[in-house]
Amino acid sequence: MAAYKTLKGQSIRQVAQDPTNPQLGEIWYNKTIGVLKGYSFIADAWSAGGNLNTGRASGGGAGTQTAALYFGGLYDPTARAITEEYNGSSWSEQNDMNQARIYMGATGTQTAALGAGGRNQGPPGPESNNVEEYNGSSWTNATVMPTATYYPRMCGPQTAALGAGGYQGYYPGADINTTYLYDGTNWTTGNNLNNSKQWGGAVGTQTAGLVAGAYPNNGQTEEYNGTNWTSVNPMGSGRYFIGAFGIQTSAVYAGGGTGSRANTERYDGTNWTATTNLTTGRRLSEGGLMSPSEAGIVMAGVPNSNLTEEFTGTTTKARIITTS
């Protein structure tokens, strides 16, 4: 076999410790530990997770890749109250919500989730202002929203949630620009979005929120600083009915559209960048909103309503690869 020097025209350098700022593609031999190492590109990737027990769309999602929650949703074609928990490999059914709903705002963790608004049944069912909290075991009715609405986008923890936008009435109804703030007990309204919208994806917190991929301006993106909304760079591939997870400065938005698209984009706090597509395109899905952008999850949706996909990425897209 030809030597590396013969193939590449240079030899592998030997070092006592790994370089602090290696270059992409660089290879070296750490003689202290006797290991060959290199610095290589890591691509974002989607992989199949466990299937939901009851396939649905338009439900609520919360949690992380290894501790997710999916509740409510539309099935054959009735609004359901079903709740399922995910442990990183499989879903298990838990206690139902008190009220079956679709198109609700949802956020929080697997042990402290929030479901707000929505519809009590499929169109043309009336919108709801009902709010429920999940404690990891059961659902409890909480203080209702100030205004009944469906498809408000929500993010943040159960005790400091941010909601934005939504829709009121049945066609011809109206997109709204309302901002909702929840402290775990009471609701207040904040300064409005710059543009009315629905069906988008929201990530982040009550003081650093992000809403993007909403109807009718599909690629429009707005950031929230705890007081005001600011319009920022739009998505490269505008969509709605979209799944999302992450934080304001590091978010992933996947799927969406009326045709069940697989497009995935990352947001770094300034710009959007296209990355690896979902394995299976879908719309009306939910993401693990509290998942970090390097380890997220998207579940349910149309047309493959019981599928779960897990996202693996990295904020730097490079790492040290070790070969013994």
Side-chain angles (χ1 to χ4, degrees):
M1 180 180 292
Y4 182 86
K5 182 176 181 179
T6 302
L7 294 172
K8 298 297 183 180
Q10 59 185 7
S11 60
I12 298 174
R13 66 190 180 106
Q14 297 187 35
V15 295
Q17 60 184 17
D18 295 333
T20 56
N21 294 298
Q23 300 298 307
L24 193 63
E26 184 178 353
I27 297 174
W28 64 92
Y29 181 77
N30 187 317
K31 60 185 180 182
T32 302
I33 59 176
V35 172
L36 180 69
K37 292 188 174 184
Y39 201 58
S40 70
F41 179 80
I42 299 299
D44 294 339
W46 290 97
S47 59
N51 287 349
L52 285 153
N53 293 290
T54 303
R56 285 158 285 154
S58 305
T64 66
Q65 187 186 90
T66 57
L69 191 71
Y70 190 74
F71 46 95
L74 193 66
Y75 175 69
D76 72 353
T78 303
R80 300 287 179 164
I82 300 169
T83 299
E84 294 190 44
E85 291 183 355
Y86 188 65
N87 63 6
S89 60
S90 61
W91 291 90
S92 58
E93 190 165 339
Q94 307 298 317
N95 290 320
D96 287 355
M97 301 184 76
N98 294 299
Q99 182 185 63
R101 269 179 294 162
I102 60 173
Y103 301 152
M104 75 191 90
T107 191
T109 66
Q110 190 182 78
T111 57
L114 185 70
R119 285 191 181 278
N120 302 332
Q121 62 188 66
E127 58 264 32
S128 171
N129 65 351
N130 187 59
V131 175
E132 295 187 43
E133 295 180 349
Y134 185 69
N135 63 6
S137 175
S138 59
W139 290 93
T140 303
N141 289 322
T143 307
V144 299
M145 296 181 70
T147 306
T149 183
Y150 68 98
Y151 234 114
R153 296 295 78 199
M154 301 193 75
C155 61
Q158 185 190 76
T159 56
L162 170 67
Y167 197 83
Q168 291 176 338
Y170 189 62
Y171 303 104
D175 302 311
I176 62 175
N177 62 1
T178 308
T179 296
Y180 303 99
L181 306 171
Y182 184 65
D183 64 7
T185 303
N186 298 308
W187 292 89
T188 56
T189 54
N191 290 332
N192 291 342
L193 287 156
N194 292 293
N195 295 280
S196 299
K197 61 192 67 173
Q198 60 169 317
W199 296 337
V203 300
T205 67
Q206 201 176 77
T207 57
L210 180 75
V211 172
Y215 181 87
N217 299 303
N218 302 348
Q220 189 181 80
T221 303
E222 296 193 37
E223 293 182 352
Y224 187 67
N225 64 5
T227 304
N228 297 310
W229 291 94
T230 302
S231 295
V232 294
N233 289 328
M235 297 180 72
S237 175
R239 287 153 285 145
Y240 52 97
F241 295 149
I242 196 166
F245 51 86
I247 59 176
Q248 188 188 77
T249 56
S250 182
V252 174
Y253 281 59
T258 56
S260 301
R261 294 163 65 180
N263 302 63
T264 301
E265 292 187 51
R266 278 179 168 269
Y267 184 67
D268 64 6
T270 303
N271 299 308
W272 290 93
T273 304
T275 187
T276 307
N277 285 351
L278 285 161
T279 303
T280 304
R282 67 185 72 188
R283 65 186 188 277
L284 293 168
S285 61
E286 280 292 324
L289 303 179
M290 304 294 282
S291 290
S293 60
E294 64 271 17
I297 185 172
V298 169
M299 56 276 199
V302 175
N304 301 101
S305 60
N306 67 341
L307 293 185
T308 299
E309 289 194 46
E310 298 177 356
F311 181 82
T312 302
T314 173
T315 55
T316 61
K317 293 194 175 181
R319 67 178 179 182
I320 293 175
I321 303 299
T322 301
T323 303
S324 57

